[in-house]
């Protein structure tokens, strides 16, 4: 039993390492304000905190994401990490970092725990007062 678990964890670690630095490209399908699917791979935008779909702000973030990636070829640079069943990455549409567009336009906040504060200076005052920061981002 122990060897089976050891093998499982080794394969899991190897799968994560195999995607570190990997780039995927294609049309995007939007899941919500900080998650998309590109070339069949679910991707969570690194360092972005958008509200959940059950909220008006979450619906607005999803609509904004849809406009940003609509008919664009989206390129995502994966860092090899996972969040549940999603890979983590920085994605670009029309040459623009999707996170920058979302945060600078008030649809999401910087999740400093994962971004290292990369997008913090782009947050709008209005978004900071309107959107609730997820506890895991602090």
């Amino acid at each position: 039993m122990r060897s089976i678990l050891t093998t499982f964890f080794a394969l899991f670690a190897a799968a994560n390492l195999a995607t570190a630095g990997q780039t995927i490209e294609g049309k995007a399908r939007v899941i919500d304000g900080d998650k998309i699917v590109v070339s069949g791979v679910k991707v969570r935008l690194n360092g972005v905190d958008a509200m959940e779909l059950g909220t008006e702000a979450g619906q607005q973030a999803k609509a904004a994401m849809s406009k940003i990636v609509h008919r664009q070829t989206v390129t995502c640079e994966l860092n090899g990490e996972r969040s549940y069943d999603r890979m983590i990455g920085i994605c670009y549409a029309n040459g623009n970092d999707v996170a920058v567009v979302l945060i600078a336009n008030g649809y999401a906040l910087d999740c400093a725990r994962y971004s290292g504060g990369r997008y913090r200076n782009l947050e709008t005052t209005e978004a900071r007062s309107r959107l609730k920061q997820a506890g895991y981002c602090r």
Side-chain angles (χ1 to χ4, degrees), residues 18-26 38-39 41 74-79 90 92:
T19 60
Q22 179 182 354
T23 299
I24 57 173
E25 186 173 278
V38 178
S39 296
V41 178
V74 175
T75 303
C76 296
E77 298 170 357
L78 306 177
N79 67 12
I90 297 173
Y92 301 88

Side-chain angles (χ1 to χ4, degrees), residues 30-33 50-67 102 107 130-131:
V30 175
I31 297 172
D32 62 20
M51 298 294 291
E52 297 301 320
L53 284 176
T55 66
E56 183 179 343
Q59 290 294 323
Q60 291 170 348
K62 180 180 180 179
M65 174 74 86
S66 295
K67 287 180 184 177
L102 285 168
Y107 294 106
R130 180 175 60 91
L131 304 177

Side-chain angles (χ1 to χ4, degrees), residues 64-108:
M65 174 74 86
S66 295
K67 287 180 184 177
I68 294 165
V69 302
H70 182 69
R71 295 188 179 182
Q72 300 293 321
T73 297
V74 175
T75 303
C76 296
E77 298 170 357
L78 306 177
N79 67 12
E81 296 176 21
R82 290 181 181 268
S83 173
Y84 299 98
D85 64 337
R86 301 170 296 265
M87 298 306 299
I88 306 295
I90 297 173
C91 298
Y92 301 88
N94 199 25
N96 298 305
D97 182 336
V98 174
V100 168
V101 178
L102 285 168
I103 294 169
N105 286 289
Y107 294 106

